[in-house]
Amino acid sequence: TVWAGAPCSICRTSSSMLCSAICSLGTVCQTMNFTVAAKQLNITQPAVSQHIHFLEEEYDTALFIYKNKRLSLTNSGALLRKRLLTMKNDEKAIKEELKSNYHGIETLSIGVTMTIGEYAIVDKLSDFLNRHPKTNIHIHYGNTSQLLHLLDNGQINIAIVEGNYPKENYTHKKYRTEDYIAVCAATHNFLIGQPHTIDDLVCERLLLREKGSGTRDILEQSLIARGMRISDFIHYTEVENMHTIIGLLKKDCGISFLYKIAVENELHSGVLKEISLDDFRMQHDFDIIWEKQSIFTDRYISFCEEII
């Protein structure tokens, strides 16, 4: 049949119509090449073409188009891929739910960014666990980009993110709004005197998170709005851990832009200070997100209502 022999690259289980559809469509979307997709799936190129043709006939729409000798995904193709992936992820969640239900235990996998996980969720999460002692929680840490990948592939049920993301792709609820500030050591001496604008800071050493981090993305977008870039800072240090950045700030190794909640204790004790700038006043939302059209939406909304 059309679906015979197509292993699912997502769940690594035996073939099924849904798994094969996602596998073929998803792999072609990633590679934009039917031949390469076939090699990755360990099936023939005609089989991949049959899978895609079957879907196009089934849903009466074109999924891919060739333009200037390049394969691209149509809007319908993107929508179908997203919906099929949501169905597949829900299927995985159902299996976990049934397994947990046998023991009377509910399981929830949550992805959080470093800032949220370490500074903004602990109290709310502890209250939730105390109210639901039979619920098992899996907490996954990652930057915003990594969490979106985990969510799209069904490895987590919910993500709580601080960075920008394509809101049209997810159901989302605001968790909280946080101040985003410039900060340095309380004893820091600026190279050109007291700064008044972001441009006055470009000669300072910038301590920043890695690419894909929400904290960094907010800074990059703010700089772009001012016609600036990260590269305008002469010196920088890139760090994949917020605790390390705070430690370097306390040692007066540079300046940084981050969420105020991450350094509230240091600001209160006088170890660090906020850099007051005339052209920089920013707040940003932390959002709880999950896949659109998920059959578990009511469950996720209930969770949101308890922790917001």
Side-chain angles (χ1 to χ4, degrees), residues 7-204:
C8 177
S9 62
I10 298 173
C11 67
R12 305 294 180 184
T13 60
S14 59
S15 176
S16 70
M17 181 175 290
L18 180 58
C19 287
S20 297
I22 295 175
C23 202
S24 292
L25 180 59
T27 307
V28 174
C29 288
Q30 292 172 359
T31 62
M32 284 303 163
N33 186 298
F34 279 56
T35 302
V36 175
K39 289 181 179 179
Q40 290 189 10
L41 294 169
N42 196 32
I43 59 177
T44 65
Q45 187 271 329
V48 172
S49 297
Q50 282 183 309
H51 294 169
I52 301 303
H53 182 65
F54 179 88
L55 288 172
E56 290 179 326
E57 286 195 338
E58 181 72 16
Y59 293 101
D60 192 25
T61 187
L63 301 180
F64 295 93
I65 58 172
Y66 276 103
K67 187 175 182 180
N68 298 326
K69 297 183 179 181
R70 296 186 62 180
L71 186 68
S72 60
L73 194 63
T74 65
N75 291 336
S76 294
L79 178 61
L80 181 60
R81 178 185 180 234
K82 179 64 178 175
R83 294 294 179 260
L84 286 176
L85 188 56
T86 298
M87 291 169 60
K88 182 64 183 72
N89 292 340
D90 279 346
E91 182 187 34
K92 292 167 66 176
I94 289 171
K95 290 179 179 178
E96 290 298 322
E97 184 179 34
L98 291 174
K99 186 188 301 183
S100 298
N101 186 63
Y102 179 79
H103 300 286
I105 298 173
E106 186 175 1
T107 300
L108 191 63
S109 294
I110 305 170
V112 295
T113 60
M114 300 297 180
T115 300
I116 292 172
E118 295 178 356
Y119 305 104
I121 193 68
V122 174
D123 289 343
K124 294 288 188 179
L125 189 58
S126 62
D127 290 341
F128 177 86
L129 290 173
N130 286 331
R131 289 193 299 269
H132 303 275
K134 291 187 177 182
T135 298
N136 289 342
I137 300 288
H138 296 269
I139 303 292
H140 301 262
Y141 278 80
N143 61 41
T144 298
S145 178
Q146 292 167 339
L147 294 182
L148 293 179
H149 178 75
L150 292 176
L151 190 60
D152 289 342
N153 286 283
Q155 294 171 267
I156 57 177
N157 305 124
I158 293 173
I160 310 179
V161 298
E162 62 194 72
N164 294 314
Y165 62 93
K167 290 191 174 182
E168 66 276 9
N169 292 344
Y170 303 94
T171 300
H172 53 89
K173 291 183 70 70
K174 184 173 75 173
Y175 176 59
R176 59 196 290 177
T177 300
E178 292 295 337
D179 292 327
Y180 187 83
I181 64 173
V183 66
C184 65
T187 57
H188 185 73
N189 292 315
F190 295 98
L191 295 176
I192 61 170
Q194 181 62 36
H196 298 283
T197 66
I198 292 182
D199 193 58
D200 294 335
L201 296 174
V202 295
C203 57
E204 302 285 337

